[in-house]
Amino acid sequence: MPRIQTSFAVEDQKRFADFSGDSNPMHMDAVAARRTQAGGCVVHGVHGFLWILEQLAIDGVPLAALHSAKVSFTRFIRLDTPVSAVIRSDHVPIRLDLVQDGQPIADILLRFSHHANEPCADDVPFRAERLPAVPLEPDFASLRAARGVLAPPAEAAALAGLLFPRCVAALGAARVVSIGLLSSLVGMVAPGLRSIFSSLDLRFVSSDQPARVRYAVAFLDDRFRALRLDVTGSGFAGSVGAFMRFPPVAPPDLAKVEAKIAPDEFAGCHALVVGGSRGLGACAAKLFAAGGGSVAVTYRSGRSEAELVRHDIEARYGPGRCAILPYDTAGEPSRQLCALPGEFSHVYYFATGRIDAQIEPIFDRKRLETFVDFYVDGFDRLVRYMIARASGKGLHVFYPSSVFVQDRPRGMVEYAMAKAAGEILCRELERRHLNLKVSLPRLPRVLTDQTATVPPVASADPVEILAALLGRRGVAPGEAAAVAPAEFTAS
């Protein structure tokens, strides 16, 4: 079988969601998906599995003789990015990988038998619950008692024939629909909203039952927030593995922020916080406002999150203390920021794209260029504009980096290179503009949406870290920041 490749687009997501009933925001809502470890919408794992089966059937593999399937998902499948099926063993059993950006994202093992499989002793009854319209949000401990029977969407059988016609011909519509239901079981019910689908292990059996899935949680691991569900569908029995993610990191409470900054720290100052709608940017905006300053917070797509930051600040300190506006670092700053009134004394640059480790190859030029767009080119355009706008008055720029620049964890070489280039640019800009002071702290791992991993990894409190760096009680110009162990360290 030749190497096969595809890419999944938003329209593919919508069709699969209609077929399976899995409308989890991680797959369907670009803004909500930003606040997950994925950093954006990702493909349903079961969609990837059924796509593989469809391609095998097209290539002549006798899916009617499929005896069992094991799938382990190791990474997310990205939208609009080519994904390939790489055959590791084209004889029985068939073993293959899903690969994206040179990295394996799923391991699939398929076994076949010419003997008819025995029917499942605990076949799925006809009666079943309808899928919830929105994902459930159970407490992790309560999942121990989760069990039930799920029915598919009314149009699932018709959509199965359109999306996976060869699978339907070989396996039957009820079985294909039931496999699709496994996606909804995890994404909509257990664990539901905060789920990550990690594995499936199915044994195919004969069945004349309609499309349904019976499920019961068989195992919970509190350390890793992992669970295994025993499942019985129309034509299969086995288990599904999943993780339950932590909820998005809540923005810092202003009472906590105020305890870390003097109330007149930034009195009379005005700051532009790029990427200030969430994460470290939102924390910096609140620290600046708590210190007596006014802020303008930019966002790229999360307007609702920026609105919450503004609401928190103005509800506590009065109207006019926080403005919000969209900003794209790839665009021209003068066109996007011209409507902002007044002069700015500070710029905090928290613009970033999706950051995830890449295993192979060691270096990827396109990946480096993506990081350079954020951390070098976009930053350079903004600072040049803000310097000109300052009209010779002093401008303080905060350009946070990461200890990853020095430590370089595996798979982060392009990120480290781009950030190091940004630091060099900062020094050159500072040398050429006497009214410019740049802070270049290399931050430790800080708790954000994308670092709130399962299992949890120790991460610093962003309020503690930023409060130590931003104000007079933090790092003064020309001094070294304790969190930035490099020769580029500055205020």
Side-chain angles (χ1 to χ4, degrees), residues 448-467:
T448 65
D449 292 328
Q450 292 193 51
T451 63
T453 56
V454 178
V457 177
S459 300
D461 184 331
V463 175
E464 296 283 349
I465 293 295
L466 290 181

Side-chain angles (χ1 to χ4, degrees), residues 171-329:
L171 300 176
R175 184 179 287 163
V176 173
V177 170
S178 295
I179 292 173
L181 263 178
L182 297 178
S183 185
S184 288
L185 167 60
V186 171
M188 302 295 287
V189 178
L193 181 64
R194 310 294 179 202
S195 62
I196 296 176
F197 197 114
S198 61
S199 66
L200 61 83
D201 185 352
L202 303 180
R203 177 175 58 88
F204 292 91
V205 300
S206 59
S207 173
D208 58 2
Q209 291 287 341
R212 299 288 190 271
V213 167
R214 179 198 294 275
Y215 68 93
V217 171
F219 172 77
L220 285 184
D221 187 332
D222 295 318
R223 299 168 301 167
F224 299 99
R225 292 170 67 85
L227 63 154
R228 187 183 75 247
L229 301 103
D230 289 339
V231 295
T232 305
S234 178
F236 63 79
S239 63
V240 167
F243 293 98
M244 186 174 188
R245 297 179 284 109
F246 290 101
V249 177
D253 180 79
L254 278 169
K256 177 182 177 180
V257 171
E258 289 171 349
K260 300 296 180 181
I261 201 87
D264 60 348
E265 194 87 17
F266 301 110
C269 297
H270 192 27
L272 176 68
V273 184
V274 178
S277 63
R278 62 191 180 109
L280 291 172
C283 183
K286 290 188 173 185
L287 277 163
F288 200 87
S294 58
V295 295
V297 168
T298 79
Y299 61 91
R300 188 174 182 184
S301 58
R303 180 180 177 87
S304 60
E305 296 163 336
E307 291 277 12
L308 289 174
V309 173
R310 177 167 66 180
H311 174 271
D312 286 352
I313 290 174
E314 296 200 337
R316 196 165 185 93
Y317 306 119
R321 292 288 296 277
C322 181
I324 64 169
L325 75 161
Y327 183 72
D328 185 347
T329 58

Side-chain angles (χ1 to χ4, degrees), residues 8 16 27 42-53 69-78 83-84 95-100 103-109 179 182-183 186 196-202 239-243 454:
F8 296 91
F16 186 82
H27 306 299
V42 293
V43 179
H44 303 77
V46 175
H47 192 178
F49 171 58
L50 285 172
W51 171 75
I52 283 290
L53 293 185
K70 288 187 177 182
V71 184
S72 177
F73 295 99
T74 55
R75 302 178 72 85
F76 298 115
I77 306 174
R78 304 289 178 187
V83 56
S84 302
R95 187 150 215 159
L96 52 86
D97 291 327
L98 282 181
V99 176
Q100 192 171 63
Q103 303 172 80
I105 54 179
D107 174 73
I108 301 174
L109 176 64
I179 292 173
L182 297 178
S183 185
V186 171
I196 296 176
F197 197 114
S198 61
S199 66
L200 61 83
D201 185 352
L202 303 180
S239 63
V240 167
F243 293 98
V454 178

